[in-house]
Amino acid sequence: MRKSIVVAGMLWAVLGAAAYADDDDWAGLYEGLDPRSGSTDHLSLVPSGNGAFDVILVTDRFSLCDQTPGWFTGSATEVDGHLEVEIGERACSNGSEPEQATAPGPRIDLIEDDEIVKVTPKVSGGIPLHYHRISDK
């Protein structure tokens, strides 16, 4: 009986750790360059519980803000091995209203052993951008 309890406890610990491994795969701070504008972008993915993530993207030349600095915030959930981002807010640092303020959020895919993410916009003319993990904490 005692052996069964110990085995069950060990199995629970392994399965519990495996359940959180997906969060660790995604979570981190990423940096990338937009080849069109030359902007430096930073993407933050932070677990917010139940498999969801808080998402923040900050760029020094946001295409939706007429190439001025801007950002978006939102949440993401994992769907079929990628993250679907729901945008909460888009903002321009100069106070102007961003273009396509209601456009859908991007799709995020892990590539290259979880060290690079590909962010694919769901808007017309959007090109995928690649971000390299610069921190996982």
Side-chain angles (χ1 to χ4, degrees), residues 26-84:
W26 294 102
L29 180 62
Y30 299 84
E31 183 176 58
L33 298 174
D34 185 326
R36 295 170 300 171
S37 68
S39 69
T40 301
D41 302 346
H42 289 91
L43 172 68
S44 173
L45 299 174
V46 178
S48 59
N50 296 325
F53 293 85
D54 291 328
V55 179
I56 301 171
L57 177 85
V58 178
T59 179
D60 58 8
R61 289 189 205 114
F62 199 12
S63 61
L64 301 179
C65 295
D66 198 27
Q67 301 304 325
T68 64
W71 65 90
F72 75 71
T73 63
S75 60
T77 53
E78 190 168 0
V79 177
D80 297 328
H82 67 272
L83 293 181
E84 289 287 335

Side-chain angles (χ1 to χ4, degrees), residues 117-132:
V117 293
K118 179 173 79 171
V119 178
T120 306
K122 294 182 185 172
V123 296
S124 177
I127 64 166
L129 300 174
H130 293 84
Y131 295 84
H132 298 258

Side-chain angles (χ1 to χ4, degrees), residues 100-119:
Q100 302 173 342
T102 60
R107 170 186 168 141
I108 301 176
D109 292 284
L110 283 171
I111 57 175
E112 297 298 324
D113 297 327
D114 307 336
E115 293 301 313
I116 299 174
V117 293
K118 179 173 79 171
V119 178

Side-chain angles (χ1 to χ4, degrees), residues 13-26:
V14 169
L15 291 176
Y20 292 106
D22 289 343
D23 286 356
D24 289 340
D25 288 347
W26 294 102

